[in-house]
Amino acid sequence: MNPRVVPPAATLQAASAGTAACGGRDVVEYEPCVGNQAVADGGVRRRRPPRLQICLGSEPAAFSEARSSLRECLVKWGLEPFADRAVLAAQECLANAVLHGCRGVEPGESEVTLTAECRTSVLWIGVQDPSTELPLRRDAGVTSESGRGLCLVDGLTDGWGTISSTLGKTVWFELDISGRKAAR
């Protein structure tokens, strides 16, 4: 499966726009994923999917809380059958964001943001880092110690891609939840 570079429309806004200051867990919507909540937008009603957003520093130590928060959120949204795949793929994206996306940046001077959205038929998860350099999927050799992250993301998910912005990039993936049963 090749990555798609078509950004989901609801994710184009900056990760910090309309949310509390980064540095901790920020739950924008945290309710069962049984349909999307109607939101008034300048007199026009539109649907906004339940959403979790976590802003982390660029240290791997913050991953444990992010994984736990994501798993907890997915359970509350009724998506527990998808939690293992989603958390593992998110962990790989977080690791790549810190290892590659924050390369050359002093710890504490950059942020990595994990966003999860429960849409009608798709669970969308993105990891934003400050680098504009797009990820490259590599074919790691049998004895290589690294280079398998995007291959894992590709194998665990139903699609993935990147979004470039002035804030850096977001590597995202989707899981098809239309049947609400984990297929794998």
Side-chain angles (χ1 to χ4, degrees):
M1 176 182 316
N2 291 321
R4 292 184 293 161
V5 188
V6 178
T11 61
L12 288 176
Q13 70 182 42
S16 60
T19 62
C22 286
R25 182 163 95 175
D26 179 14
V27 179
V28 179
E29 292 291 330
Y30 204 63
E31 59 189 44
C33 182
V34 291
N36 296 330
Q37 177 183 9
V39 178
D41 184 15
V44 177
R45 293 186 59 81
R46 63 179 175 84
R47 297 244 185 254
R48 181 177 70 196
R51 185 177 196 199
L52 169 74
Q53 189 167 61
I54 307 168
C55 297
L56 311 161
S58 57
E59 297 84 24
F63 292 2
S64 178
E65 181 183 345
R67 285 191 311 265
S68 296
S69 296
L70 178 58
R71 182 175 296 282
E72 175 186 331
C73 184
L74 294 177
V75 168
K76 288 190 180 196
W77 285 346
L79 298 175
E80 189 170 8
F82 300 91
D84 288 341
R85 287 173 48 208
V87 170
L88 181 55
Q91 170 67 33
E92 290 300 325
C93 291
L94 286 166
N96 283 344
V98 169
L99 183 64
H100 303 291
C102 296
R103 184 181 308 150
V105 179
E106 292 294 320
E109 291 186 16
S110 65
E111 291 179 337
V112 173
T113 303
L114 171 71
T115 303
E117 288 186 0
C118 177
R119 299 177 180 170
T120 304
S121 61
V122 170
L123 172 63
W124 183 93
I125 297 177
V127 175
Q128 181 184 23
D129 67 56
S131 173
T132 56
E133 187 176 332
L134 297 179
L136 296 173
R137 182 176 164 186
R138 300 186 304 173
D139 290 322
V142 175
T143 59
S144 297
E145 293 183 13
S146 64
R148 294 176 181 83
L150 289 177
C151 290
L152 278 171
V153 170
D154 188 47
L156 290 168
T157 68
D158 296 309
W160 69 278
T162 59
I163 302 168
S164 295
S165 75
T166 57
L167 299 174
K169 70 172 170 303
T170 300
V171 176
W172 59 269
F173 63 86
E174 296 176 328
L175 296 177
D176 179 358
I177 58 171
S178 58
R180 293 288 199 265
K181 285 185 179 179
R184 296 178 192 177

PDB file of all heavy atoms in Angstrom, residues 101-121:
ATOM      1  N   GLY A 101      11.963  13.821  13.056  1.00  0.00           N
ATOM      2  CA  GLY A 101      11.326  15.130  12.967  1.00  0.00           C
ATOM      3  C   GLY A 101      11.857  16.163  13.931  1.00  0.00           C
ATOM      4  O   GLY A 101      11.737  17.364  13.692  1.00  0.00           O
ATOM      5  N   CYS A 102      12.431  15.717  15.040  1.00  0.00           N
ATOM      6  CA  CYS A 102      12.990  16.640  16.030  1.00  0.00           C
ATOM      7  C   CYS A 102      14.518  16.589  16.045  1.00  0.00           C
ATOM      8  O   CYS A 102      15.151  17.084  16.978  1.00  0.00           O
ATOM      9  CB  CYS A 102      12.435  16.320  17.420  1.00  0.00           C
ATOM     10  SG  CYS A 102      10.665  16.562  17.553  1.00  0.00           S
ATOM     11  N   ARG A 103      15.106  15.975  15.023  1.00  0.00           N
ATOM     12  CA  ARG A 103      16.559  15.857  14.940  1.00  0.00           C
ATOM     13  C   ARG A 103      17.192  17.244  14.917  1.00  0.00           C
ATOM     14  O   ARG A 103      16.754  18.136  14.198  1.00  0.00           O
ATOM     15  CB  ARG A 103      16.953  15.097  13.685  1.00  0.00           C
ATOM     16  CG  ARG A 103      18.462  14.863  13.587  1.00  0.00           C
ATOM     17  CD  ARG A 103      18.849  14.136  12.317  1.00  0.00           C
ATOM     18  NE  ARG A 103      18.054  12.930  12.160  1.00  0.00           N
ATOM     19  CZ  ARG A 103      17.740  12.418  10.981  1.00  0.00           C
ATOM     20  NH1 ARG A 103      18.128  12.996   9.873  1.00  0.00           N
ATOM     21  NH2 ARG A 103      17.020  11.329  10.907  1.00  0.00           N
ATOM     22  N   GLY A 104      18.198  17.443  15.725  1.00  0.00           N
ATOM     23  CA  GLY A 104      18.913  18.705  15.757  1.00  0.00           C
ATOM     24  C   GLY A 104      18.246  19.775  16.609  1.00  0.00           C
ATOM     25  O   GLY A 104      18.746  20.884  16.702  1.00  0.00           O
ATOM     26  N   VAL A 105      17.127  19.442  17.219  1.00  0.00           N
ATOM     27  CA  VAL A 105      16.422  20.394  18.070  1.00  0.00           C
ATOM     28  C   VAL A 105      16.689  20.009  19.525  1.00  0.00           C
ATOM     29  O   VAL A 105      16.628  18.831  19.883  1.00  0.00           O
ATOM     30  CB  VAL A 105      14.902  20.370  17.778  1.00  0.00           C
ATOM     31  CG1 VAL A 105      14.170  21.332  18.677  1.00  0.00           C
ATOM     32  CG2 VAL A 105      14.646  20.678  16.315  1.00  0.00           C
ATOM     33  N   GLU A 106      16.985  20.992  20.344  1.00  0.00           N
ATOM     34  CA  GLU A 106      17.245  20.726  21.755  1.00  0.00           C
ATOM     35  C   GLU A 106      15.988  20.173  22.428  1.00  0.00           C
ATOM     36  O   GLU A 106      14.880  20.646  22.152  1.00  0.00           O
ATOM     37  CB  GLU A 106      17.669  22.013  22.472  1.00  0.00           C
ATOM     38  CG  GLU A 106      19.021  22.529  22.039  1.00  0.00           C
ATOM     39  CD  GLU A 106      20.153  21.583  22.432  1.00  0.00           C
ATOM     40  OE1 GLU A 106      20.109  21.023  23.542  1.00  0.00           O
ATOM     41  OE2 GLU A 106      21.064  21.389  21.607  1.00  0.00           O
ATOM     42  N   PRO A 107      16.138  19.184  23.319  1.00  0.00           N
ATOM     43  CA  PRO A 107      14.975  18.665  24.047  1.00  0.00           C
ATOM     44  C   PRO A 107      14.248  19.810  24.761  1.00  0.00           C
ATOM     45  O   PRO A 107      14.867  20.693  25.332  1.00  0.00           O
ATOM     46  CB  PRO A 107      15.589  17.695  25.060  1.00  0.00           C
ATOM     47  CG  PRO A 107      16.870  17.273  24.424  1.00  0.00           C
ATOM     48  CD  PRO A 107      17.364  18.482  23.663  1.00  0.00           C
ATOM     49  N   GLY A 108      12.948  19.777  24.703  1.00  0.00           N
ATOM     50  CA  GLY A 108      12.148  20.817  25.329  1.00  0.00           C
ATOM     51  C   GLY A 108      11.886  22.024  24.437  1.00  0.00           C
ATOM     52  O   GLY A 108      11.084  22.886  24.770  1.00  0.00           O
ATOM     53  N   GLU A 109      12.572  22.119  23.302  1.00  0.00           N
ATOM     54  CA  GLU A 109      12.383  23.257  22.401  1.00  0.00           C
ATOM     55  C   GLU A 109      11.468  22.931  21.223  1.00  0.00           C
ATOM     56  O   GLU A 109      11.256  23.772  20.366  1.00  0.00           O
ATOM     57  CB  GLU A 109      13.734  23.757  21.882  1.00  0.00           C
ATOM     58  CG  GLU A 109      14.576  24.411  22.952  1.00  0.00           C
ATOM     59  CD  GLU A 109      15.835  25.030  22.379  1.00  0.00           C
ATOM     60  OE1 GLU A 109      15.918  25.229  21.165  1.00  0.00           O
ATOM     61  OE2 GLU A 109      16.738  25.309  23.181  1.00  0.00           O
ATOM     62  N   SER A 110      10.965  21.725  21.176  1.00  0.00           N
ATOM     63  CA  SER A 110      10.046  21.364  20.103  1.00  0.00           C
ATOM     64  C   SER A 110       8.933  20.514  20.689  1.00  0.00           C
ATOM     65  O   SER A 110       9.058  19.969  21.780  1.00  0.00           O
ATOM     66  CB  SER A 110      10.766  20.617  18.985  1.00  0.00           C
ATOM     67  OG  SER A 110      11.246  19.390  19.465  1.00  0.00           O
ATOM     68  N   GLU A 111       7.860  20.420  19.940  1.00  0.00           N
ATOM     69  CA  GLU A 111       6.722  19.635  20.379  1.00  0.00           C
ATOM     70  C   GLU A 111       6.323  18.632  19.317  1.00  0.00           C
ATOM     71  O   GLU A 111       6.502  18.867  18.127  1.00  0.00           O
ATOM     72  CB  GLU A 111       5.519  20.541  20.657  1.00  0.00           C
ATOM     73  CG  GLU A 111       5.704  21.417  21.855  1.00  0.00           C
ATOM     74  CD  GLU A 111       4.509  22.322  22.084  1.00  0.00           C
ATOM     75  OE1 GLU A 111       3.755  22.584  21.124  1.00  0.00           O
ATOM     76  OE2 GLU A 111       4.345  22.769  23.218  1.00  0.00           O
ATOM     77  N   VAL A 112       5.750  17.558  19.788  1.00  0.00           N
ATOM     78  CA  VAL A 112       5.142  16.546  18.947  1.00  0.00           C
ATOM     79  C   VAL A 112       3.689  16.466  19.402  1.00  0.00           C
ATOM     80  O   VAL A 112       3.418  16.431  20.596  1.00  0.00           O
ATOM     81  CB  VAL A 112       5.857  15.184  19.115  1.00  0.00           C
ATOM     82  CG1 VAL A 112       5.122  14.097  18.373  1.00  0.00           C
ATOM     83  CG2 VAL A 112       7.301  15.281  18.653  1.00  0.00           C
ATOM     84  N   THR A 113       2.768  16.482  18.455  1.00  0.00           N
ATOM     85  CA  THR A 113       1.349  16.467  18.795  1.00  0.00           C
ATOM     86  C   THR A 113       0.688  15.224  18.215  1.00  0.00           C
ATOM     87  O   THR A 113       0.833  14.942  17.027  1.00  0.00           O
ATOM     88  CB  THR A 113       0.638  17.727  18.251  1.00  0.00           C
ATOM     89  OG1 THR A 113       1.298  18.882  18.767  1.00  0.00           O
ATOM     90  CG2 THR A 113      -0.816  17.750  18.666  1.00  0.00           C
ATOM     91  N   LEU A 114      -0.021  14.503  19.072  1.00  0.00           N
ATOM     92  CA  LEU A 114      -0.795  13.334  18.664  1.00  0.00           C
ATOM     93  C   LEU A 114      -2.261  13.747  18.639  1.00  0.00           C
ATOM     94  O   LEU A 114      -2.777  14.274  19.619  1.00  0.00           O
ATOM     95  CB  LEU A 114      -0.591  12.182  19.652  1.00  0.00           C
ATOM     96  CG  LEU A 114      -1.489  10.956  19.478  1.00  0.00           C
ATOM     97  CD1 LEU A 114      -1.095  10.183  18.232  1.00  0.00           C
ATOM     98  CD2 LEU A 114      -1.424  10.065  20.692  1.00  0.00           C
ATOM     99  N   THR A 115      -2.926  13.513  17.511  1.00  0.00           N
ATOM    100  CA  THR A 115      -4.346  13.831  17.374  1.00  0.00           C
ATOM    101  C   THR A 115      -5.078  12.582  16.900  1.00  0.00           C
ATOM    102  O   THR A 115      -4.615  11.893  15.998  1.00  0.00           O
ATOM    103  CB  THR A 115      -4.559  14.964  16.343  1.00  0.00           C
ATOM    104  OG1 THR A 115      -3.803  16.105  16.747  1.00  0.00           O
ATOM    105  CG2 THR A 115      -6.026  15.338  16.232  1.00  0.00           C
ATOM    106  N   ALA A 116      -6.210  12.299  17.529  1.00  0.00           N
ATOM    107  CA  ALA A 116      -7.063  11.186  17.111  1.00  0.00           C
ATOM    108  C   ALA A 116      -8.471  11.733  16.895  1.00  0.00           C
ATOM    109  O   ALA A 116      -8.970  12.490  17.719  1.00  0.00           O
ATOM    110  CB  ALA A 116      -7.084  10.087  18.160  1.00  0.00           C
ATOM    111  N   GLU A 117      -9.082  11.347  15.778  1.00  0.00           N
ATOM    112  CA  GLU A 117     -10.457  11.738  15.484  1.00  0.00           C
ATOM    113  C   GLU A 117     -11.260  10.502  15.121  1.00  0.00           C
ATOM    114  O   GLU A 117     -10.847   9.715  14.267  1.00  0.00           O
ATOM    115  CB  GLU A 117     -10.518  12.728  14.318  1.00  0.00           C
ATOM    116  CG  GLU A 117     -10.026  14.098  14.656  1.00  0.00           C
ATOM    117  CD  GLU A 117     -10.228  15.091  13.522  1.00  0.00           C
ATOM    118  OE1 GLU A 117     -10.760  14.713  12.449  1.00  0.00           O
ATOM    119  OE2 GLU A 117      -9.839  16.255  13.721  1.00  0.00           O
ATOM    120  N   CYS A 118     -12.410  10.380  15.759  1.00  0.00           N
ATOM    121  CA  CYS A 118     -13.328   9.288  15.453  1.00  0.00           C
ATOM    122  C   CYS A 118     -14.366   9.826  14.490  1.00  0.00           C
ATOM    123  O   CYS A 118     -15.228  10.613  14.869  1.00  0.00           O
ATOM    124  CB  CYS A 118     -13.990   8.803  16.746  1.00  0.00           C
ATOM    125  SG  CYS A 118     -15.196   7.508  16.475  1.00  0.00           S
ATOM    126  N   ARG A 119     -14.247   9.424  13.243  1.00  0.00           N
ATOM    127  CA  ARG A 119     -15.185   9.874  12.219  1.00  0.00           C
ATOM    128  C   ARG A 119     -16.241   8.800  12.008  1.00  0.00           C
ATOM    129  O   ARG A 119     -16.200   7.756  12.643  1.00  0.00           O
ATOM    130  CB  ARG A 119     -14.424  10.193  10.947  1.00  0.00           C
ATOM    131  CG  ARG A 119     -13.423  11.311  11.217  1.00  0.00           C
ATOM    132  CD  ARG A 119     -12.584  11.635  10.049  1.00  0.00           C
ATOM    133  NE  ARG A 119     -11.661  12.719  10.416  1.00  0.00           N
ATOM    134  CZ  ARG A 119     -10.681  13.102   9.667  1.00  0.00           C
ATOM    135  NH1 ARG A 119     -10.476  12.527   8.509  1.00  0.00           N
ATOM    136  NH2 ARG A 119      -9.899  14.079  10.065  1.00  0.00           N
ATOM    137  N   THR A 120     -17.156   9.036  11.121  1.00  0.00           N
ATOM    138  CA  THR A 120     -18.258   8.107  10.924  1.00  0.00           C
ATOM    139  C   THR A 120     -17.773   6.693  10.618  1.00  0.00           C
ATOM    140  O   THR A 120     -18.240   5.738  11.209  1.00  0.00           O
ATOM    141  CB  THR A 120     -19.176   8.604   9.787  1.00  0.00           C
ATOM    142  OG1 THR A 120     -19.615   9.920  10.114  1.00  0.00           O
ATOM    143  CG2 THR A 120     -20.366   7.694   9.621  1.00  0.00           C
ATOM    144  N   SER A 121     -16.827   6.540   9.717  1.00  0.00           N
ATOM    145  CA  SER A 121     -16.381   5.196   9.342  1.00  0.00           C
ATOM    146  C   SER A 121     -14.874   5.003   9.441  1.00  0.00           C
ATOM    147  O   SER A 121     -14.370   3.954   9.080  1.00  0.00           O
ATOM    148  CB  SER A 121     -16.830   4.876   7.910  1.00  0.00           C
ATOM    149  OG  SER A 121     -16.253   5.796   7.008  1.00  0.00           O
TER     150      SER A 121
END
